[in-house]
Amino acid sequence: MRAHPTFRSMPARRRSRLACLLLAGTTLPVFAAAADPSVVPQTVSRKATSASKASTPTVPNDEEIIVKAKRRNQMEVTSGGQLGALGNKKGLDVPFNIRSYSSSLILNQQSQTLGQVLENDPSVRTTYGYGNFSEMFVIRGFAVNGDDVAINGLYGITPRQLVSPQLYDSVQVLNGASAFLNGAAPGGSAIGGNINLMFKQATDAPITRLTGDYTSSAMGGGSIDVGRRFGADKQFGVRLNVAGQSGEDSINNEYRHSTALGADFDWRSRDNRTRISMDMNYQNQGVDGGRPAVFLSSTATSVPRPASPSHNYGQKWAYNDLNYVFGMLNIEHDLSKHVTLYGAFGALHGDEKGNYSSPTITNPTTGAGTAGSMYVPYSQTNESTRAGVRAHFRTGFIKHEINAGGSALWEDSGAAYSMALTPVATNLYATPQVASPAHTFVGGVLDNPQTTSWTRLYSLFFSDTMTFLNGRVALTGGFRYQNMLINGYSYSTTGRGALSSHYDQDAITPVVGLVMHPTRQTSLYFNRIEGLSQGPTASGNVINLGEVFPPYKSTQYEVGAKYDIGRFSAGLAFYQIGQPNAYSEAVGNTGNYAYRVNGLQRNRGIELMVNGEILPGLRFNGGGTLTQAALRQTAGGTYNGNTAIGVPNYTINGNLEYDLPFLKGATVVGRVVNTGKQWVNQANTLHIPVWTRFDLGARYTFTTYHKPITLRFGVDNIANTRYWSSAFNGYLLQGLPRTFKFSFTTDL
């Protein structure tokens, strides 16, 4: 094709420019035959105009920035999460009760520990571990120890006493037994539920987020969260998190410090068939002069009144210092659109030290009692892995999802101790500060704890989820074979001590689950699943001393209904869990006793969960539970029909957020936490009363130099109510006093 004469007559420079526009796909003007070459074309392409506009920097709309930042800060609780062997699932499609609390909720509620995140959940209550400051959780009336909190579905790699939540994108709570889904928990708990943490990863949108915070009475801190993706197709991602706090909290003379460092690196292939992520983390947490839990002497005939809300009945020399290095590697590869291979490996090294002192109250009226002193160094090295295949295929009108694989956990723990054999006098209400008593009883090597526990857990699993009627009905069946090899060693000063206990047992835990969808937004479900924990070894003055019993199998039956339209979800569940118990019983009239696994704790309950936007600008998260935790088949029938210790008969949580219509960017927040009566002893003669706590807060988002800034102010326990929050395991934990929190966040 010959060029137009006008084009030929143009200067070379102009011809070059028009040629570039032509190659770029622009629309050229129609030239007159006798056009003057100096005439500038009046018609330039729309694409060129758009490109010109795009290349011109535009001033951000501050109102749009505020709207986006406000949405990012909204309380978000989603139905669904990571279900171990079954992978990531939407809550509506599985026969289990699972939900996820987002990182925006963690940030906006200024949560400093995992327990503070779970204060939002109506089915979870938090207490302390035995004699220390570690958080322990109660779900469906059973404990979840810190050792048994998972990360990305792996046990054994989570800091076991206190967890800094700033490193995680979501905190997931599964209600109910989960031996098939996750395998046996190494600490022997997680019978009534499971807690799983998900690491943060780089998002497609870059993140540079700076936060500063203050907590009464004098604790300050902050965090930096940076995320970027690189490469032509954003194949490489990096997410870095640094967080820390230090100072005196709202309890008098209780000082806490924490440092958390996290780095996530991920890569995905251009076709997204291969996905690899690696996480490396460090966490330090510590409590100095902490307020401990309170024990009651066997002679106590009443429960003491709680002390003043901010009073500290601990000793200034009591402390703990917890250091952990942990991380994991995840790999997924899609062989085809129907088959996925996956594998994960994680590890943790922990180094803990603490001098603990808990009061034992002998006179509940005056608060008089005694306090001991015990120093415990503890070290732990864990490795955990899983691998499997997930396949989708059809047989006729049935769609199958096959999950098969295995997991393994290796755990080596070392401990030592020194303690004072003579306790010191103390008082719950007028607590004297005394010198730490001399430690005269020592076990092990204090500066180099030797191995006292050696655990190996191996399992294989298989399941098939069959879907019928265009996805309206799904039936899941499967099993997990679990082997538990656990050795205990005596305290020694010359390397690993003598073998004191040996446990080598296995078990098969099946699962059956059914989901039916009457509509696309609703489902009805049923499951029968089991929990698994190490069985006991006969001890005490019994004729079968040393007998090793098979693993405890806790059987759960659950039925429920769910409703989910995306912005709003609700769920109702009815369940029963039976967990075996062991005790010593008389052998006829011989005067001898035998150790038997004949007891049973049967928990029955109802759970209601509601999450989402009720009206435009009004969001709610909460619900309630009713629990009957009955003791059955107790020794001699003495406590048959009594309620298990520390399990409240009901719990209620309600969290509200309301965006003020008359002030853009402003949100007010309210929360109520209500917990029913809890028994302190098996005889059910001592209990702590019902308690209620109210929290209020507000946040405001505005812009400075076109950057969003969010200010937050909150007050927990606004009425400064004094109350015992938990009696789990028979000891008392007091609720926190009125606590003020302030923070700001800016996206740079």
Side-chain angles (χ1 to χ4, degrees), residues 105-135:
L105 181 146
I106 296 171
L107 177 64
N108 283 291
Q109 294 190 351
Q110 306 171 68
S111 301
Q112 298 163 3
T113 67
L114 179 57
Q116 291 183 8
V117 178
L118 295 175
E119 286 178 347
N120 295 283
D121 197 296
S123 66
V124 180
R125 289 298 182 260
T126 302
T127 184
Y128 275 0
Y130 187 89
N132 58 29
F133 307 117
S134 65
E135 289 184 329

Side-chain angles (χ1 to χ4, degrees), residues 573-592:
F574 300 83
Y575 69 87
Q576 174 179 299
I577 306 176
Q579 183 186 39
N581 286 327
Y583 56 84
S584 299
E585 65 177 357
V587 181
N589 296 320
T590 63
N592 295 321

Side-chain angles (χ1 to χ4, degrees), residues 452-474:
T452 54
S453 176
W454 183 89
T455 300
R456 302 292 185 264
L457 303 178
Y458 305 103
S459 72
L460 297 172
F461 62 84
F462 175 85
S463 71
D464 183 7
T465 298
M466 296 170 284
T467 306
F468 314 84
L469 303 177
N470 295 322
R472 288 188 175 272
V473 179

Side-chain angles (χ1 to χ4, degrees), residues 372-397:
S373 175
M374 184 173 184
Y375 172 71
V376 179
Y378 182 89
S379 65
Q380 186 178 38
T381 300
N382 298 347
E383 296 173 341
S384 184
T385 187
R386 72 162 179 267
V389 59
R390 186 170 296 116
H392 300 262
F393 60 90
R394 286 184 175 274
T395 56
F397 63 92

Side-chain angles (χ1 to χ4, degrees), residues 245 364 391 434 664 699 727:
Q245 287 181 320
V434 299
K664 290 186 182 299
R699 64 176 180 268

Side-chain angles (χ1 to χ4, degrees), residues 417-484:
Y417 66 88
S418 67
M419 67 174 66
L421 296 180
T422 303
V424 296
T426 190
N427 190 285
L428 185 65
Y429 308 116
T431 307
Q433 290 299 313
V434 299
S436 177
H439 290 197
T440 57
F441 189 61
V442 178
V445 183
L446 296 179
D447 58 355
N448 185 22
Q450 302 299 303
T451 300
T452 54
S453 176
W454 183 89
T455 300
R456 302 292 185 264
L457 303 178
Y458 305 103
S459 72
L460 297 172
F461 62 84
F462 175 85
S463 71
D464 183 7
T465 298
M466 296 170 284
T467 306
F468 314 84
L469 303 177
N470 295 322
R472 288 188 175 272
V473 179
L475 176 64
T476 299
F479 69 91
R480 184 185 289 260
Y481 165 78
Q482 182 86 54
N483 175 256
M484 309 173 76

